[in-house]
Amino acid sequence: MRQASIERHTAETKINLKVNLDCQEPVSIQTGIGFFDHMLTLFARHGRLSLEVIAEGDLWVDSHHTVEDVGIVLGQALREALGDKMGINRYGTSFVPMDETLGMASLDLSGRSYLVFDCDFTNPRLGNFDTELVEEFFQSLAFNLQMNLHLKILHGKNNHHKSESLFKATGRALREAITINPDIHGVNSTKGLL
């Protein structure tokens, strides 16, 4: 089974995270940040993967360290679970409508890290979550998973819907990319490795 379990303990956060790419249960997220828990649950459900996160962070400062470090650990765990990436599609793209909003995620599990983030939030906070942390999370995820990730809101007004469409689209694009394709022999690269 393609799975990984990682612990990260720093002076700012303590994170325990488990991921399984080939099971859809359990999904259990506890970060102390309600909106972020909701987004990670959407990511896992739409990615059809099992994700367990217990995070304790310095939320009396703000949510930044917790969100960033969860992105780091999730990226590391996904990279470890993917192993040598033999037979995976490698690429994934998804467009997700959320009422008036349309979000897009396109990614490449290339072994190279890059984030393009084209989304404007008009509200600085959603619950106790700073909307600027959406980009911080995806930056940490992309760099630690070593993937190219392009995120864009094509149109939309509601900030909750914008964030939700990006997390759902990224989960769905990731599912496409990590799926083992019987037509792919070895690694889906002319280099011979990803």
Side-chain angles (χ1 to χ4, degrees), residues 1 3 5 9 20 23 35 54 121 130 162:
M1 303 262 305
Q3 56 190 340
S5 178
H9 295 187
N20 188 323
C23 289
F35 184 80
I54 298 175
F121 291 101
D130 295 324
K162 290 177 183 179

Side-chain angles (χ1 to χ4, degrees), residues 14 44 53 63 87 164:
K14 182 191 301 182
V53 181
S63 301
E164 188 164 330

Side-chain angles (χ1 to χ4, degrees), residues 61 92 106 165:
V61 175
S106 189
S165 69

Side-chain angles (χ1 to χ4, degrees), residues 85-101:
K85 304 179 188 173
M86 297 288 271
I88 65 166
N89 282 321
R90 174 182 169 178
Y91 297 97
T93 297
S94 180
F95 290 82
V96 170
M98 182 69 197
D99 295 344
E100 86 298 342
T101 295

Side-chain angles (χ1 to χ4, degrees), residues 3-20:
Q3 56 190 340
S5 178
I6 294 183
E7 294 184 8
R8 174 185 167 96
H9 295 187
T10 72
E12 298 167 340
T13 62
K14 182 191 301 182
I15 298 169
N16 296 298
L17 186 147
K18 296 179 184 176
V19 67
N20 188 323

Side-chain angles (χ1 to χ4, degrees), residues 68-163:
E68 181 179 41
D69 286 5
V70 168
I72 289 169
V73 176
L74 179 57
Q76 291 171 345
L78 289 167
R79 191 175 79 234
E80 181 179 320
L82 280 166
D84 59 14
K85 304 179 188 173
M86 297 288 271
I88 65 166
N89 282 321
R90 174 182 169 178
Y91 297 97
T93 297
S94 180
F95 290 82
V96 170
M98 182 69 197
D99 295 344
E100 86 298 342
T101 295
L102 180 62
M104 181 275 296
S106 189
L107 60 87
D108 175 11
L109 298 174
S110 61
R112 297 182 308 276
S113 304
Y114 205 87
L115 175 67
V116 175
F117 188 86
D118 187 3
C119 176
D120 292 322
F121 291 101
T122 55
N123 189 338
R125 292 180 70 77
L126 292 165
N128 60 346
F129 182 85
D130 295 324
T131 50
E132 68 180 10
L133 295 179
V134 174
E135 183 174 3
E136 290 296 324
F137 168 77
F138 284 116
Q139 171 104 354
S140 295
L141 178 67
F143 274 68
N144 286 276
L145 179 46
Q146 296 178 344
M147 71 172 164
N148 284 187
L149 177 59
H150 293 249
L151 298 172
K152 182 176 180 64
I153 295 297
L154 285 83
H155 49 262
K157 295 179 181 177
N158 183 286
N159 291 279
H160 186 123
H161 295 166
K162 290 177 183 179
S163 181

Side-chain angles (χ1 to χ4, degrees), residues 84-92 107-112 176-194:
D84 59 14
K85 304 179 188 173
M86 297 288 271
I88 65 166
N89 282 321
R90 174 182 169 178
Y91 297 97
L107 60 87
D108 175 11
L109 298 174
S110 61
R112 297 182 308 276
E176 181 182 349
I178 67 176
T179 296
I180 295 173
N181 184 335
D183 294 330
I184 296 171
H185 301 284
V187 174
N188 193 9
S189 171
T190 55
K191 294 182 177 73
L193 72 108
L194 289 170

